[in-house]
Amino acid sequence: KQLVNWFYSDNQDDSKKQKFLKDYNINYVYYSPAEKEKGSYDPGSKSYLEKVYDDGWAEIYKFKTKK
């Protein structure tokens, strides 16, 4: 839970967040009002994430891993 809170807490530390996603083999990032409440993280502004779903309430982003 601490790592999830850290991930969504701010819109900085992109290199650490990319490493976190890779190290924990996380392929998708879920973003709904609950995640928005955790902080200022904006997945739509990240070049390493690609929006693959948006129903107006929740969004899902695919992590674009570096080969």
Side-chain angles (χ1 to χ4, degrees):
K1 184 176 177 180
Q2 257 185 333
L3 287 174
V4 171
N5 289 337
W6 163 79
F7 187 85
Y8 290 107
S9 68
D10 63 46
N11 206 33
Q12 301 173 5
D13 295 327
D14 285 335
S15 61
K16 289 180 184 175
K17 290 182 180 180
Q18 287 178 71
K19 183 176 179 349
F20 166 75
L21 293 172
K22 186 176 183 191
D23 288 352
Y24 285 88
N25 200 27
I26 297 170
N27 296 311
Y28 293 91
V29 173
Y30 185 77
Y31 194 65
S32 74
E35 287 72 34
K36 290 175 187 172
E37 287 180 7
K38 295 183 185 305
S40 62
Y41 185 70
D42 178 12
S45 70
K46 305 303 177 188
S47 62
Y48 56 89
L49 294 175
E50 175 186 2
K51 188 188 290 188
V52 294
Y53 179 81
D54 184 351
D55 68 3
W57 185 79
E59 301 166 359
I60 298 175
Y61 293 83
K62 182 175 177 160
F63 177 43
K64 300 189 282 188
T65 57
K66 296 176 183 175
K67 305 280 180 186

